[in-house]
Amino acid sequence: MGQRNLLPRRSLLLYLLLQATRGFSSGGASSLPLVLNTWAFQKATETAWNTLHSGGSELDAVEKGCGQCEIEQCDGSVGYGGSPDEHGETTLDAMIMDGNTMKVGAVADLRRIKNAIGVARKVIEHTRHTLLVGESASFFAESMGFPSEDLTTQKSLSIYLKWLNQSCQPNFWKNVIPDASKSCGPYKQSAVFVKEEQNVSERRIDVHNHDTIGMIVIGQAGSIAAGTSTNGANHKIQGRVGDSPIAGAGAYADSTAGAAAATGDGDVMMRFLPSYQAVEYMRTGMDPTMACKKVISRIQKYVPYFFGAVICANTSGSYGAACNKLPGFTQFHFMACNPSLRQPSEEIVDCI
Ligand SMILES: *[C@@H]1O[C@H](CO)[C@@H](O)[C@H](O)[C@H]1NC(C)=O
Ligand SMILES: *[C@@H]1O[C@H](CO)[C@@H](O)[C@H](O)[C@H]1NC(C)=O
Ligand SMILES: *[C@@H]1O[C@H](CO)[C@@H](O)[C@H](O)[C@H]1NC(C)=O
């Protein structure tokens, strides 16, 4: 009898030992620490993961992870040299949130500074403010030691020149003269308002021109941080700020409930505070994938053709994502890394 029991007992012991070395993981879907980020920005995931493992905090990991995308100019949608505005200039939006203290640092319409999320971090550490914008944010950045550089590159210049050459199409104006669907500005307001159609051909921001990085990091002890970085929308009107630097819109983190981050058409998404909403759903115990889906479907009710996706993670490290299905955007790719995955892994979710 004793002999017979020995083998299974030994393998049970071995199994427990293996699980222990894996950080008591209970499967790919939930083990800590966790790094989760939008799109297939693998180096960002890797950088955040390595930052945690070399003793960095969750905030350090988010800052370095998103910062990696600013250096790499991920998909041309993060960092310098992408998404020139109507005057050809690249401006940056970023935020970082500490889910333990609920402190947020953010910059919007930041000019001539490459490391936007680095500046956002300084807003937390060296001011009592939450959000700094425009030229003044750039002066703040310079006072914190960030170099002032031209964010224009050959690539952003050629995007801009091509757009000028095609009569400034597409653009974000409406109800103006001259007719913005045919001509460049300067524009004046028109007395006649045209009825709007919220359909595919009306979209100005889609999968080809807007891939913000949003990142969630949960440490071994359950501290959560989140952040974003983007260069906004191609050909945006000067002064435009999207969802990324807005707490609760671009990202949200609460170490007692979870975190979420969004990517897509910020002009639409920021009206719904999708990241805040997803975290509040998870606070009630809702599964992360379901929480992501619920916020996407709420926006769908008002704007069926919006371009957007959300990633969600709860306090135990379970995670998920959801996206709004459009022609040409039926799946959303995101990155995850935790002790069970062992390395940054690309995950794919079907849009709803
Ligand atoms: C501008 O557009 C025209 C066609 O509309 C094209 O022939 C020309 O090469 C373009 N110029 C530049 C600089 O892109
Ligand atoms: C979208 O709106 C345009 C006019 O703005 C119209 O011509 C087109 O048929 C509409 N497409 C769909 C799919 O509704
Ligand atoms: C996180 O989500 C998973 C999967 O739905 C669930 O099993 C777990 O209980 C959740 N954790 C918390 C703290 O709600």
Side-chain angles (χ1 to χ4, degrees):
M1 282 284 280
Q3 282 286 64
R4 238 183 251 163
N5 278 339
L6 209 60
L7 204 82
R9 241 181 229 168
R10 248 194 208 154
S11 29
L12 181 69
L13 212 75
L14 197 69
Y15 172 76
L16 286 175
L17 210 72
L18 262 170
Q19 291 301 305
T21 56
R22 291 170 137 213
F24 296 101
S25 64
S26 57
S30 70
S31 64
L32 294 176
L34 171 72
V35 173
L36 196 66
N37 64 263
T38 56
W39 306 106
F41 300 151
Q42 179 172 340
K43 270 210 174 144
T45 323
E46 232 168 70
T47 303
W49 186 252
N50 292 341
T51 302
L52 273 187
H53 280 265
S54 53
S57 67
E58 293 75 17
L59 280 177
D60 293 336
V62 168
E63 181 189 346
K64 298 290 176 245
C66 293
Q68 178 63 35
C69 253
E70 293 171 344
I71 294 166
E72 276 181 60
Q73 305 166 284
C74 285
D75 279 6
S77 299
V78 185
Y80 69 101
S83 305
D85 67 15
E86 278 198 316
H87 295 158
E89 187 174 2
T90 294
T91 65
L92 307 180
D93 298 341
M95 72 152 256
I96 188 163
M97 180 161 188
D98 180 340
N100 288 345
T101 61
M102 305 308 280
K103 283 183 181 164
V104 173
V107 286
D109 192 25
L110 181 72
R111 290 148 192 269
R112 302 183 306 275
I113 308 285
K114 283 184 176 171
N115 182 202
I117 194 154
V119 183
R121 179 83 183 267
K122 299 294 181 197
V123 173
I124 290 192
E125 289 177 347
H126 299 286
T127 81
R128 297 183 193 283
H129 296 308
T130 293
L131 171 62
L132 297 180
V133 306
E135 291 290 347
S136 311
S138 308
F139 291 137
F140 168 74
E142 283 173 46
S143 75
M144 291 289 116
F146 291 83
S148 176
E149 298 169 84
D150 189 355
L151 303 189
T152 306
T153 58
Q154 276 306 319
K155 188 170 175 221
S156 66
L157 189 62
S158 83
I159 296 170
Y160 175 58
L161 293 178
K162 187 172 167 229
W163 177 78
L164 278 183
N165 192 36
Q166 60 197 28
S167 306
C168 306
Q169 303 301 312
N171 62 62
F172 291 88
W173 295 87
K174 65 180 189 187
N175 301 320
V176 290
I177 40 179
D179 182 350
S181 69
K182 297 187 179 66
S183 315
C184 291
Y187 306 105
K188 285 183 176 160
Q189 57 177 322
S190 149
V192 185
F193 281 40
V194 177
K195 190 182 175 299
E196 274 194 272
E197 306 221 18
Q198 291 278 18
N199 71 17
V200 175
S201 66
E202 292 287 328
R203 282 189 293 121
R204 296 289 183 271
I205 296 176
D206 62 25
V207 67
H208 303 296
N209 71 11
H210 198 85
D211 302 344
T212 303
I213 183 162
M215 179 177 276
I216 296 166
V217 172
I218 310 181
Q220 188 74 61
S223 292
I224 308 184
T228 61
S229 184
T230 183
N231 53 29
N234 240 332
H235 317 306
K236 62 191 172 189
I237 297 172
Q238 282 201 311
R240 181 267 190 187
V241 170
D243 59 333
S244 300
I246 308 300
Y252 201 66
D254 180 338
S255 300
T256 69
T263 178
D265 184 345
D267 291 313
V268 170
M269 294 181 85
M270 70 193 296
R271 303 168 196 163
F272 296 87
L273 294 180
S275 296
Y276 173 78
Q277 188 60 51
V279 169
E280 290 312 308
Y281 282 137
M282 287 186 284
R283 193 190 299 281
T284 70
M286 192 182 289
D287 172 72
T289 303
M290 187 52 68
C292 275
K293 283 184 173 169
K294 289 260 286 187
V295 304
I296 291 292
S297 59
R298 182 178 294 186
I299 304 173
Q300 273 173 344
K301 278 183 211 138
Y302 296 87
V303 192
Y305 295 104
F306 83 102
F307 164 58
V310 184
I311 56 172
C312 299
N314 72 11
T315 52
S316 37
S318 277
Y319 60 84
C323 48
N324 187 34
K325 192 170 171 181
L326 291 173
F329 183 56
T330 56
Q331 289 185 320
F332 172 61
H333 295 238
F334 62 104
M335 296 297 306
C337 193
N338 65 23
S340 349
L341 296 166
R342 289 158 186 270
Q343 57 186 18
S345 307
E346 188 171 334
E347 311 237 349
I348 300 174
V349 66
D350 289 322
C351 296
I352 56 170

